[in-house]
Amino acid sequence: MDNETEEAGPTRSAEPVREYRTEELAEAAGITVRTLRFYRERKLLPPPRREGRIAWYDGHHLARLRTIAALLDRGHTLGGIAELTAAFENGRDVGQLGELLGIGWSQETPVRLTPQALADYFEGEVTPENLAASLDLGYLATDGDEIVHVSRRLLDVSSALVREGVPLSAVLETGRRVRAHADALAVLFAELMAAHLSEDALPRLRPLAKSVVEAELTMAMDRLLTARDRTPTALPGQPSS
């Protein structure tokens, strides 16, 4: 295992593997049989298990197809996805995979999980809909028989919220909304530095932007809690009576 990833979660005895014929896999992935075969020809999918003339696919093939769909939605080309797939299969380290995905993982620790370990983190919440949302957000990617989560911190926070009783679907939707605000903040700092400093200042001064965001968020939470203590029924932004 490379030194940038961590094993996580206990494993349990293997359950029977669900298998799909070509038509069944295409239907489950929401694509046509022709598209599935095209992906096979481009070597975007590992070969199926053969039983005579019948090709059998499993859940790992389905997860790979969902990853491909999520990457296409995020603007990646099939050529780029092919490079990513080759990186997975050739054992390239997760940091390099992050570069291919267009995700800066230099500040985060990716986590490798078996499907069962992921289920243990979010017991009862790992549904096809939540998996698709996680793939679309770029939180998850598949690597052979394993799943790679983009961030140990995000994984721990998400699982903690689910243990407190927050549905995973709500956590993911909030993550999507936070992503939009975070992107806007990143643009704000980039414009500030571009207007007053050289282009190479952004990577060097990124810790300053992080400190500002953390301080402002902490103070915003303090203001929110203080307002609620004074007026329990007041909504955020409403003056206390």
Side-chain angles (χ1 to χ4, degrees), residues 34-237:
R34 182 176 180 180
T35 298
L36 173 58
R37 288 174 175 155
F38 175 72
Y39 289 164
R40 274 291 320 280
E41 292 169 1
R42 293 289 299 270
K43 301 189 184 303
L44 296 173
L45 284 178
R49 181 178 71 83
R50 291 284 179 179
E51 193 173 276
R53 296 174 61 98
I54 301 175
W56 290 102
Y57 299 86
D58 59 24
H60 301 307
H61 293 96
L62 180 57
R64 178 69 64 84
L65 288 171
R66 286 174 174 163
T67 299
I68 291 170
L71 291 171
L72 288 172
D73 286 344
R74 294 174 62 197
H76 290 267
T77 65
L78 284 177
I81 296 171
E83 184 181 357
L84 176 63
T85 301
F88 279 147
E89 294 173 350
N90 292 332
R92 193 177 299 184
D93 69 66
V94 177
Q96 290 172 294
L97 296 179
E99 293 175 5
L100 289 173
L101 280 165
I103 303 170
W105 284 359
S106 59
Q107 299 294 313
E108 295 299 324
T109 302
V111 185
R112 287 181 179 274
L113 301 149
T114 64
Q116 185 58 60
L118 182 66
D120 290 342
Y121 264 91
F122 304 102
E123 192 161 345
E125 294 281 329
V126 182
T127 63
E129 293 78 16
N130 285 338
L131 281 173
S134 298
L135 289 165
D136 182 52
L137 278 167
Y139 287 168
L140 297 180
T142 58
D143 184 0
D145 290 346
E146 292 182 311
I147 296 167
V148 179
H149 194 289
V150 67
S151 166
R152 158 63 69 185
R153 291 192 293 180
L154 289 177
L155 176 63
D156 288 346
V157 169
S158 298
S159 61
L161 288 170
V162 170
R163 287 196 301 272
E164 290 290 334
V166 182
L168 182 55
S169 59
V171 172
L172 293 171
E173 176 55 31
T174 300
R176 189 183 301 278
R177 294 168 64 188
V178 169
R179 171 80 56 82
H181 291 292
D183 286 344
L185 286 169
V187 170
L188 182 64
F189 281 108
E191 290 176 345
L192 172 68
M193 294 179 191
H196 301 281
L197 302 169
S198 62
E199 291 184 359
D200 61 356
L202 183 57
R204 179 169 54 85
L205 298 180
R206 183 167 63 173
L208 299 182
K210 177 182 175 183
S211 295
V212 170
V213 171
E214 287 181 347
E216 286 289 357
L217 180 59
T218 298
M219 291 188 291
M221 294 297 292
D222 288 343
R223 291 193 295 271
L224 177 63
L225 293 172
T226 299
R228 287 183 173 177
D229 287 341
R230 291 175 178 171
T231 310
T233 57
L235 295 173

